[in-house]
Amino acid sequence: MPAAPPFSPPSPRGSMTMTRAQDVSLPGNRPHGYATEGGAAWRVSALKEVSYDVMVQPQLLDPANPALARAVKSGAAPVRQLIVIDTTVASLYGEQLTAYLAGHDVEFHLCVIDAHESVKVMDTVFEVVDAMDAVGVPRRHAPVLAMGGGVLTDIVGLAASLYRRATPYIRIPTTLIGMIDAGIGSKTGVNFREHKNRLGAYHPSSLTLIDPGFLTTLDARHLRNGLAEILKIALIKDAELFDLLAAHGAGLVEQRMQLGEDAVGGAALTVLRRAVQGMLEELQPNLWEDHLQRLVDFGHSFSPTIEMTALPELLHGEAVCVDMALSSILAHHRGLLTAAEFDRVFDVMRDLHLPVLHPVCTPELMRGALADTVKHRDGRQHLPLPRGIGDAVFVDDVTQQEVEAALFTLGERERATQQPRLRRPVDMGV
């Protein structure tokens, strides 16, 4: 038997590329050691730069528009993309989406989720994780695509934050509330027991693509649901945006926020841009919520409890509007809103056909709602109240007596206008 040839290790100067482990270290990444009475200790400090893009992209699924194809193609070896899509969205846009992806040579797998508030729980997150594992989603270069309303993007975002400890994803919101709120921030989350978004993570998508064309198939109620969150931004920081809602709110609903050359069509793009800009201005300096005084919490102090108690009768934006109505009365009683401003606020809510009260809003429920918010905000109310229209202040001393007086005033106003009671929704929208 011939002897094996002697082993010759490859030359370090040959064609093989090697990197010394020490060379991978970045400057300044050594932990700081310091002495203690008990021996030694180390402090680890690290910074992670976070940046993501929010882009308005009309006609996103037009084969001539390369934006989506560029987003899912990373330039790495081709992989199968996982697309998590809402059931209703799939029925409306599934064929158009698959034709677009096939035309751009994107291999994909669809995971269809019936996403609505009642299934916004960890079991649905695990359903998405199962799909991610079955497809074999890589850790960095093949972002998961989430296409649907805010509930779906919240679920997929949480699944992506958990899978391999952080997997990138892209959001394509198809509801107005997703385009201006749920789909553009860093938070993901699901409900736990009776608590709204009690489980979650800060994990923004690398990209959000907004196509207002999806709103043409959104029912009027869900359009108004999103306009409630736009009204929030208007009341706390943008008087011009409020004026646009006051002048064109009903038309925006009728024309489904579609861009056009008439007054309403022109207002639609301005409203969309100002709403997104205003939200991002508030989010960016406090993306991880290190500071618990947040203007965007206006309408979100009582509403989580209202929404979960009334579920499924109230959509998220509707519960927010009830909260904003109550908070506006608190502000009026404190002299922060004049009677004329107070009337303007309620006129816009009425023009948008948004609810300002619900039968679950009892003094006892409001007491518990505020107590839960105080826990959530580390022992402080940090309650944003409008000061005029387009400005706000934080208060920490709202009493139960004030809340009950505001409820009474709200009830009296509601009886005077004889608003019909909200009926249980059937269509959950897209």
Side-chain angles (χ1 to χ4, degrees), residues 138-417:
R139 293 184 68 181
R140 295 291 177 263
H141 67 273
V144 176
L145 189 66
M147 186 174 179
V151 170
L152 182 119
T153 56
D154 274 359
I155 290 170
V156 176
L158 182 54
S161 76
L162 296 172
Y163 191 72
R164 301 189 188 278
R165 298 188 181 89
T167 298
Y169 69 112
I170 294 169
R171 291 179 283 207
I172 301 179
T174 56
T175 62
L176 183 57
I177 203 167
M179 293 176 186
I180 55 90
D181 186 273
I184 64 175
S186 66
K187 293 195 293 187
T188 70
V190 295
N191 305 327
F192 178 67
R193 295 176 181 162
E194 73 277 13
H195 300 292
K196 175 80 173 173
N197 290 334
R198 185 55 56 92
L199 303 177
Y202 296 100
H203 188 54
S205 60
S206 57
L207 175 65
T208 296
L209 294 168
I210 297 173
D211 181 359
F214 291 127
L215 301 180
T216 59
T217 54
L218 191 67
D219 66 272
R221 186 180 177 198
H222 283 77
L223 228 303
R224 298 182 183 111
N225 185 51
L227 285 170
E229 288 282 5
I230 295 178
L231 179 59
K232 172 192 75 176
I233 294 294
L235 283 172
I236 58 172
K237 66 174 297 173
D238 193 340
E240 184 176 333
L241 179 57
F242 182 89
D243 291 340
L244 286 169
L245 293 177
H248 302 291
L252 291 172
V253 175
E254 184 178 349
Q255 297 188 24
R256 297 297 191 271
M257 288 283 292
Q258 293 308 293
L259 317 184
E261 297 181 359
D262 63 346
V264 175
L269 181 58
T270 304
V271 166
L272 182 64
R273 284 178 171 173
R274 293 186 79 95
V276 172
Q277 176 74 23
M279 188 68 172
L280 294 178
E281 283 176 355
E282 294 302 314
L283 294 180
Q284 179 172 288
N286 191 25
L287 200 59
W288 315 126
E289 297 187 9
D290 294 317
H291 304 289
L292 298 179
Q293 278 192 342
R294 304 172 67 244
L295 280 180
V296 290
D297 279 340
F298 177 58
H300 293 71
S301 299
F302 302 96
S303 66
T305 299
I306 295 171
E307 181 181 354
M308 296 303 290
T309 305
L311 193 71
E313 290 187 10
L314 285 178
L315 302 177
H316 175 73
E318 293 171 338
V320 167
C321 193
V322 172
D323 187 318
M324 291 192 296
L326 182 67
S327 298
S328 295
I329 293 177
L330 288 171
H332 177 55
H333 286 176
R334 287 186 169 219
L336 297 170
L337 275 180
T338 68
E341 291 166 339
F342 176 75
D343 287 340
R344 287 194 72 203
V345 170
F346 274 79
D347 285 346
V348 171
M349 292 175 176
R350 181 70 58 205
D351 288 345
L352 293 175
H353 295 278
L354 288 166
V356 297
L357 193 59
H358 190 276
V360 302
C361 296
T362 63
E364 294 75 20
L365 189 82
M366 297 299 98
R367 184 195 301 273
L370 187 55
D372 193 56
T373 288
V374 168
K375 289 180 183 177
H376 185 63
R377 297 175 187 166
D378 278 2
R380 301 276 297 276
Q381 288 183 357
H382 291 314
L383 198 70
L385 294 181
R387 179 173 58 188
I389 292 174
D391 194 13
V393 296
F394 292 96
V395 299
D396 261 326
D397 57 349
V398 171
T399 66
Q400 178 65 14
Q401 290 74 21
E402 284 183 276
V403 173
E404 292 184 20
L407 275 177
F408 178 80
T409 301
L410 196 54
E412 290 291 296
R413 190 179 184 96
E414 184 71 351
R415 281 186 286 274
T417 54

